[in-house]
Amino acid sequence: YSQEDREMMMDSFGSVGGSMLSLYLSVTGGNDWSVYYIVMTQIGSFYPAVFLSYTFFFIFALFNILTGVFVERAVAASLPDREELINEERKKLLKQVEELRALFKALDTDGSGKISKEEFSTHMKDDRIVSYMHSLGFEMHDAEHFFDIIADNCEEVDIDAFIEHSMAMRGNATALDMRRQLIQLGKVAEQLHVWDAERWPYLQRALRRLGA
């Protein structure tokens, strides 16, 4: 190689500091990497291969980091914040209440502000009302049982109780509903166990006396 190439090689890689600066310039656009590559080709094939590997892995790692940052920011920007989620849930709840109010008015044919079991059973024979209730998330397999639940086994139900109990009846049972039922069953089983422990001896004595 010529004296000019030797001088350029010494200027670029003649010291640790100069080598680090040259490598930094080659990957940041301060100087074209091909300049250093041409210089290295004058001293064999090993150093040019190492230099190419260095530039490749640096650019590859840089692109990966930048891509990760942009993707993370894009995902974070696309996710709704907590306030937006709260507002959406509130709007959904208000819409459901309005839908139930409209349903109550449709079922309250006499305008008394209450729905009787007779009124409800009559409307359940109308396919349009049943379809409308189905669209609101109610499965009307047993209309009389459904009314007993929302009316709390009363003969009439007002609009507030209708909305409150209907909201609890919409859709499928959740994990919370199942857990609540298990707790209630556990309490009933505990009460039966206490009753059995307290009353069974008296029953046994009474049965013996009857047998005697």
Side-chain angles (χ1 to χ4, degrees):
Y1 46 88
S2 64
Q3 183 66 25
E4 183 181 355
D5 292 336
R6 179 182 176 83
E7 291 177 356
M8 186 173 182
M9 188 179 304
M10 293 303 296
D11 291 339
S12 302
F13 303 102
S15 64
V16 175
S19 299
M20 293 177 65
L21 178 60
S22 298
L23 292 174
Y24 175 76
L25 293 174
S26 65
V27 295
T28 58
N31 202 354
D32 193 75
W33 65 270
S34 63
V35 174
Y36 304 107
Y37 176 77
I38 293 173
V39 172
M40 289 183 181
T41 57
Q42 304 299 320
I43 57 175
S45 59
F46 176 73
Y47 290 106
V50 173
F51 179 74
L52 288 176
S53 299
Y54 162 76
T55 55
F56 171 77
F57 283 112
F58 183 88
I59 295 174
F60 181 75
L62 180 63
F63 280 147
N64 273 346
I65 293 173
L66 292 177
T67 302
V69 170
F70 286 132
V71 170
E72 182 180 0
R73 289 182 179 274
V75 171
S78 64
L79 293 176
D81 58 12
R82 182 172 299 177
E83 289 295 329
E84 185 177 350
L85 289 175
I86 293 174
N87 290 333
E88 288 297 326
E89 288 298 323
R90 187 170 181 273
K91 290 179 182 178
K92 185 187 297 184
L93 182 61
L94 291 175
K95 182 180 178 182
Q96 292 175 354
V97 171
E98 291 302 321
E99 289 175 344
L100 291 174
R101 286 184 183 276
L103 175 61
F104 183 90
K105 291 180 180 179
L107 297 176
D108 184 20
T109 52
D110 58 3
S112 62
K114 293 184 178 181
I115 301 175
S116 65
K117 180 181 290 188
E118 183 180 356
E119 283 180 316
F120 189 80
S121 300
T122 302
H123 284 297
M124 288 305 99
K125 298 176 183 178
D126 189 343
D127 292 337
R128 293 175 301 175
I129 297 294
V130 174
S131 299
Y132 180 64
M133 295 187 68
H134 182 73
S135 68
L136 296 181
F138 298 114
E139 298 293 337
M140 300 306 300
H141 301 299
D142 189 341
E144 184 174 351
H145 181 61
F146 179 88
F147 183 86
D148 288 338
I149 293 175
I150 63 174
D152 198 15
N153 291 317
C154 297
E155 291 299 320
E156 292 183 333
V157 58
D158 59 18
I159 185 169
D160 292 330
F162 180 82
I163 292 175
E164 179 183 354
H165 296 158
S166 296
M167 291 290 289
M169 291 285 292
R170 296 184 67 171
N172 298 323
T174 63
L176 180 62
D177 296 328
M178 299 298 292
R179 183 61 181 172
R180 186 186 299 114
Q181 292 300 319
L182 289 175
I183 292 174
Q184 293 296 331
L185 289 174
K187 291 180 179 179
V188 172
E190 184 178 355
Q191 292 174 355
L192 289 175
H193 180 73
V194 172
W195 185 90
D196 185 58
E198 293 178 351
R199 300 297 180 183
W200 182 243
Y202 298 103
L203 290 175
Q204 284 182 320
R205 288 195 293 268
L207 290 174
R208 291 194 192 100
R209 285 195 295 267
L210 291 174

